Amino acid sequence: TVLAIIAAQLSFTTPDLSASNNKLPAISPAAWEVLGSRSVRYGTDHDVISVSSGKWYKGIYFKVTNAPIRINDMKVYFDNGDKFDVSIRGMIRENGHSRTIELPGGERKITKVEFTYETMGSNRGTANLTLWGKF
């Protein structure tokens, strides 16, 4: 039983997502945290995820569930007033994810992330988008 617990702890992984594949490399579970999530309606939608943690982040990524979405625009805003326009502009399939997006200038305090996107497919349902931050 003790060996099973140790084996389970050693095999724990969290997503470090890249555009090139869906394999999730093993990294520290403490390296990522959820910054927020939104439900995306069918058709074009615009949402803002406010980040009030005041923590410093090195990068971000997002995961999409329930339906594919097309990202039309994504902007990251920082506490010093800077804005980072992220070049995504593509389709993220259901249960897919973005690449890890490294923040310019190293560690930054994020105040909000703004998305413009649309759900795709014929089911006219909603997709869920979850934004993660990397310490």
Side-chain angles (χ1 to χ4, degrees), residues 46-132:
H46 173 268
D47 279 312
V48 174
I49 295 178
S50 296
V51 180
S52 60
S53 71
K55 295 179 182 177
W56 295 83
Y57 297 97
K58 296 177 187 177
I60 57 175
Y61 82 89
F62 56 89
K63 181 168 176 59
V64 174
T65 56
N66 297 336
I69 64 173
R70 176 176 305 282
I71 302 294
N72 296 323
D73 195 28
M74 178 180 171
K75 291 181 177 70
V76 182
Y77 294 84
F78 302 105
D79 67 332
N80 66 353
D82 287 352
K83 177 175 67 172
F84 176 42
D85 191 0
V86 181
S87 180
I88 301 272
R89 292 165 187 78
M91 175 69 84
I92 307 293
R93 70 181 187 285
E94 179 179 356
N95 299 319
H97 51 76
S98 70
R99 68 186 188 279
T100 297
I101 301 160
E102 299 299 326
L103 300 177
E107 293 184 337
R108 306 289 298 267
K109 287 185 181 179
I110 300 169
T111 57
K112 66 182 178 179
V113 179
E114 189 175 80
F115 292 93
T116 303
Y117 39 49
E118 56 189 297
T119 55
M120 307 301 293
S122 60
N123 66 356
R124 296 192 182 270
T126 59
N128 292 315
L129 180 139
T130 304
L131 178 67
W132 293 76

Side-chain angles (χ1 to χ4, degrees), residues 9-23:
Q9 289 176 343
L10 292 175
S11 66
F12 182 76
T13 61
T14 57
D16 181 17
L17 304 174
S18 66
S20 62
N21 64 49
N22 284 331
K23 294 183 181 181

